[in-house]
Amino acid sequence: MEATRKRKRVSKNKKNSWRKHTDITDVEEYLDDIRLQERTGGIAADKPDEKLFFFAKKDEEDDSVLSKRQQLRQKPLRCHANLEPDSHIKPIISSNVRNNSLKRRCTATREKITNGKLSKIEKQAADQRSEALLRSKNRRRQSRLPFQASYDLWSTDGKKVVEEEYFAKVTKKITPKVPRHMKLKPSELSAVENPHPGASYNPAYQDHQDLLHEAYMMEVKKIKNENRIDKQLDFPTVDQAPTQESWLKEMSAGLTEEDDKGEESFDDSGDEMTGNQAVRRENKKTDRQRKKQQNKKLKDRQIKDNKERRQRDQELFRLKSIKREVTRVEKVREEKLKRKQFLREKFKNKPKKLGKLKYEVPDLEITLTDELSGSLRLIKPEGNLLEDRFNSFQKRNVIETRIRAKFKRKYKDKVFEKSGHKAVTG
């Protein structure tokens, strides 16, 4: 005899306790039974007697002829029986499955699908697929064919060339393809520029004057830059020089204000609290307040969505103004592109800043009118060939701009005399 279980006494004044302490196993068993009946042919209580019961007719001749093993072979398999459509429950369709039925399509796409019309992109894709399939078939067909030499067997030159190409292809010794920019020159300037006509040993008067004017303008530009720097770094005059009173005023400025600020910050520092303050029981939000706050957030979000939707709808009526804005933006872009191309063409032959330093044009090598000599024998050598080539490399962007490094000793040289080399006195 089973011992009677003592009934647990619990309070059921809340829904949580109802769910926790109420026994609903009989209800769940009943619902499971109903679902099983629906999956396996329908509810038995709603079916008529003809579907529930049947008359078993025994065929004596068949039983006598067929054995038990043969009867089992004729019986349908369980795996096939489970696939029979005997359930009245609709299949579960997940929310992320896209329904591509014709009913959901618009009328234009529905007509295209029914009539078999393809868009321009779909036709292009079909053509590309057919071309790719044809290329792959040709590639496979060529790979199956044996190697055929397209040269004269008795000539030595042609045979040697083809053998070398085939050997390089098989052994992977073909040189890699060089990028296009590797063959481009960094500048279109010639390596050796023609000198100015006025730099000749016996120049014409006008050419020599043009060269002198060019050198003069370069010097004027240098002097202007130096004067500009000196002007920016100009030392104040006697009237503008600071006095003792101005120095004391500048040094004592802000001392009293800082002290006052410091005292105020020190006094106010006690009232401020760092970190999150603790929430007291009476200040804690109730479930009703939280639900109200959540509903308010949902309403605000709906208002915002409706506002955005109205703005999108209104944009349909301003298509002309949008088109004007697009044309204006495109025009500005075209102007910028033209300007960029113009500047690129303008500065394409000028030296670029490849490093920290900027390229500076060296001074022109000129001879004054008094120093000119009409014969080659009396010419004095000027300039340096290595420096000229070095400046040419920098100007043609072959190397970055460089200057000679200044060597500075960290320590002074020590001077001492060895004992073996001292002068002998006696």
Side-chain angles (χ1 to χ4, degrees):
M1 200 175 162
E2 295 181 358
T4 56
R5 292 178 62 185
K6 191 175 181 181
R7 193 167 67 88
K8 192 184 290 186
R9 293 184 174 275
V10 291
S11 62
K12 296 184 180 179
N13 57 348
K14 290 183 180 179
K15 288 187 177 180
N16 292 333
S17 58
W18 293 359
R19 298 190 190 98
K20 190 174 180 181
H21 301 292
T22 305
D23 188 14
I24 56 171
T25 53
D26 53 347
V27 178
E28 289 179 350
E29 288 176 359
Y30 172 73
L31 292 174
D32 289 339
D33 186 23
I34 293 293
R35 294 191 194 101
L36 179 64
Q37 291 180 19
E38 287 178 349
R39 287 198 301 272
T40 56
I43 299 171
D46 298 342
K47 290 183 178 180
D49 295 342
E50 289 80 7
K51 291 188 177 181
L52 293 174
F53 306 101
F54 62 92
F55 293 99
K57 296 179 180 180
K58 188 175 180 182
D59 195 355
E60 296 179 356
E61 295 179 359
D62 293 345
D63 291 345
S64 61
V65 174
L66 296 175
S67 63
K68 193 173 183 180
R69 183 173 291 180
Q70 291 174 348
Q71 290 177 6
L72 288 172
R73 284 178 182 173
Q74 292 180 356
K75 191 176 180 181
L77 296 174
R78 180 63 61 86
C79 60
H80 295 161
N82 291 334
L83 297 174
E84 291 179 1
D86 59 345
S87 175
H88 291 277
I89 301 171
K90 294 181 179 180
I92 299 169
I93 300 172
S94 60
S95 59
N96 58 353
V97 176
R98 189 176 177 182
N99 190 4
N100 290 327
S101 60
L102 288 173
K103 294 179 182 178
R104 294 174 63 87
R105 304 291 184 89
C106 61
T107 54
T109 53
R110 209 182 301 150
E111 289 176 0
K112 280 184 181 179
I113 293 167
T114 51
N115 298 331
K117 292 181 180 179
L118 296 175
S119 63
K120 187 177 179 181
I121 298 170
E122 290 173 348
K123 288 178 182 177
Q124 190 176 359
D127 295 340
Q128 289 175 357
R129 282 196 296 271
S130 60
E131 288 176 3
L133 185 63
L134 187 63
R135 282 198 301 271
S136 63
K137 284 182 179 178
N138 293 333
R139 203 181 300 117
R140 285 197 298 270
R141 193 181 296 114
Q142 288 178 1
S143 63
R144 293 193 195 99
L145 294 173
F147 176 72
Q148 295 178 358
S150 58
Y151 57 90
D152 189 6
L153 292 172
W154 306 110
S155 64
T156 56
D157 298 334
K159 185 176 180 182
K160 188 176 180 182
V161 171
V162 175
E163 281 179 355
E164 285 177 358
E165 289 179 1
Y166 180 72
F167 179 75
K169 193 177 288 185
V170 171
T171 56
K172 308 289 184 183
K173 289 186 178 180
I174 299 173
T175 54
K177 291 182 179 179
V178 182
R180 293 180 182 176
H181 67 272
M182 295 292 287
K183 296 179 181 178
L184 296 174
K185 291 183 178 180
S187 178
E188 294 182 3
L189 295 172
S190 59
V192 181
E193 296 180 0
N194 295 327
H196 196 275
S200 175
Y201 71 96
N202 190 14
Y205 176 75
Q206 190 62 37
D207 295 338
H208 190 255
Q209 291 298 318
D210 294 342
L211 181 64
L212 290 175
H213 181 69
E214 189 176 345
Y216 169 74
M217 293 306 296
M218 288 177 67
E219 288 296 327
V220 168
K221 192 175 181 181
K222 280 185 181 179
I223 292 167
K224 280 185 179 179
N225 289 333
E226 290 175 1
N227 292 337
R228 181 172 55 83
I229 294 168
D230 292 340
K231 194 174 182 180
Q232 289 175 356
L233 303 174
D234 193 10
F235 192 76
T237 60
V238 179
D239 300 333
Q240 298 174 354
T243 59
Q244 187 71 16
E245 294 177 358
S246 62
W247 182 81
L248 283 171
K249 188 177 180 181
E250 184 180 356
M251 297 304 290
S252 60
L255 290 175
T256 55
E257 293 176 1
E258 288 178 0
D259 294 337
D260 296 337
K261 286 180 182 178
E263 290 175 1
E264 289 174 5
S265 62
F266 181 76
D267 295 334
D268 296 335
S269 62
D271 299 336
E272 295 179 358
M273 295 180 68
T274 58
N276 296 327
Q277 297 182 6
V279 180
R280 298 179 63 82
R281 184 185 293 273
E282 55 268 15
N283 295 333
K284 191 177 180 181
K285 290 182 181 179
T286 59
D287 294 340
R288 188 174 181 181
Q289 288 175 344
R290 286 199 184 91
K291 197 169 185 181
K292 193 174 181 181
Q293 188 177 5
Q294 191 175 3
N295 291 335
K296 189 182 177 184
K297 283 183 181 178
L298 289 171
K299 282 183 180 179
D300 294 342
R301 196 181 300 163
Q302 288 177 359
I303 291 167
K304 189 178 179 181
D305 294 341
N306 292 332
K307 190 176 180 181
E308 290 177 356
R309 196 182 300 110
R310 284 197 300 273
Q311 287 178 357
R312 286 197 299 270
D313 295 340
Q314 288 175 1
E315 285 180 355
L316 293 173
F317 300 104
R318 53 184 295 267
L319 287 175
K320 291 183 178 179
S321 61
I322 291 171
K323 194 179 286 185
R324 284 196 296 270
E325 289 177 5
V326 170
T327 51
R328 183 177 58 79
V329 171
E330 287 179 353
K331 194 179 290 183
V332 170
R333 284 181 182 173
E334 288 177 359
E335 290 176 357
K336 283 183 179 179
L337 188 63
K338 288 179 182 177
R339 175 71 178 167
K340 193 180 284 186
Q341 289 176 355
F342 171 73
L343 292 173
R344 193 181 290 119
E345 287 291 328
K346 185 179 179 182
F347 297 104
K348 70 177 181 179
N349 293 329
K350 291 193 175 182
K352 298 176 183 177
K353 190 177 178 183
L354 302 177
K356 294 181 179 179
L357 302 173
K358 190 178 180 182
Y359 177 75
E360 294 182 359
V361 181
D363 296 334
L364 290 174
E365 298 173 359
I366 58 171
T367 54
L368 300 175
T369 311
D370 303 337
E371 298 174 355
L372 287 173
S373 60
S375 64
L376 288 168
R377 293 180 180 180
L378 300 174
I379 290 176
K380 293 180 181 179
E382 292 181 356
N384 191 350
L385 189 61
L386 289 175
E387 288 183 3
D388 182 54
R389 291 298 86 210
F390 188 69
N391 289 326
S392 177
F393 285 155
Q394 293 177 355
K395 191 174 182 180
R396 289 184 289 124
N397 302 320
V398 178
I399 59 173
E400 70 276 7
T401 307
R402 304 175 188 177
I403 57 172
R404 190 179 182 87
K406 295 179 180 179
F407 178 72
K408 189 178 180 182
R409 289 186 180 276
K410 195 171 183 181
Y411 305 105
K412 291 182 179 180
D413 291 340
K414 291 182 179 181
V415 180
F416 59 92
E417 291 181 358
K418 289 187 178 180
S419 58
H421 293 278
K422 285 184 178 180
V424 179
T425 58

